[in-house]
Amino acid sequence: KSNTNRMYSGYGQSFQEQRLQQLMEQKQLRDFMRMYANLVTQCFDDCVVDFTSNKLNDKELTCTTRCTLKSMKLNERLGQRFAEENAKLMEEQSKAAGL
C-alpha cells in the first residue's frame, strides 16, 4: 500500500473511495445545477411575457409558481422511480450472483 492509502485506511475509506465519493458529489451538484437552470429557463420562457415592468404581474407569478412546483414534483417522482428500478436491479443481480 502507498503511504496515502495507509494514511486514509484508518478512517474506514481508502483514498480511492474518498476520491470516487468526491467525484460523485461533484457530478450530483453539476446535475442539480443543470436541472435548476433548465427549470428557470423553461418557466421563464413559458410564463414571462410582459417586459414593460421590472416585476412579474399576477398572471406571470401564478404561472411561474405552478411551473416550478410541477417541475419539482416531476423530478421528485422521476427520482423515486429511478430508486425503485435501481433497487429491483440490485436485487436481481444479487439473486443471479447467488447471494
Side-chain angles (χ1 to χ4, degrees):
K1 282 187 169 180
S2 72
N3 287 337
T4 304
N5 282 345
R6 275 190 233 120
M7 182 172 64
Y8 287 107
S9 65
Y11 296 104
Q13 284 188 320
S14 71
F15 178 76
Q16 289 87 1
E17 290 170 325
Q18 288 181 344
R19 181 67 181 137
L20 180 60
Q21 179 70 27
Q22 182 183 32
L23 291 171
M24 289 174 60
E25 289 171 3
Q26 289 173 350
K27 183 185 180 323
Q28 287 175 338
L29 180 60
R30 278 193 310 272
D31 290 346
F32 173 78
M33 294 304 291
R34 188 177 309 117
M35 180 190 73
Y36 179 77
N38 289 339
L39 169 98
V40 169
T41 300
Q42 182 67 43
C43 292
F44 182 87
D45 290 347
D46 289 351
C47 299
V48 180
V49 294
D50 181 8
F51 296 98
T52 61
S53 172
N54 63 354
K55 294 183 181 182
L56 297 174
N57 62 39
D58 290 341
K59 184 177 178 181
E60 292 170 329
L61 185 58
T62 300
C63 180
T64 55
T65 300
R66 286 183 182 158
C67 178
T68 303
L69 291 174
K70 188 174 184 178
S71 294
M72 290 172 62
K73 287 179 183 178
L74 171 67
N75 282 309
E76 181 181 347
R77 182 65 183 135
L78 288 172
Q80 289 172 344
R81 288 291 295 147
F82 177 78
E84 291 167 5
E85 292 300 317
N86 192 44
K88 286 180 190 177
L89 180 62
M90 296 297 282
E91 184 177 330
E92 290 171 6
Q93 288 176 346
S94 68
K95 284 181 182 178
L99 300 175

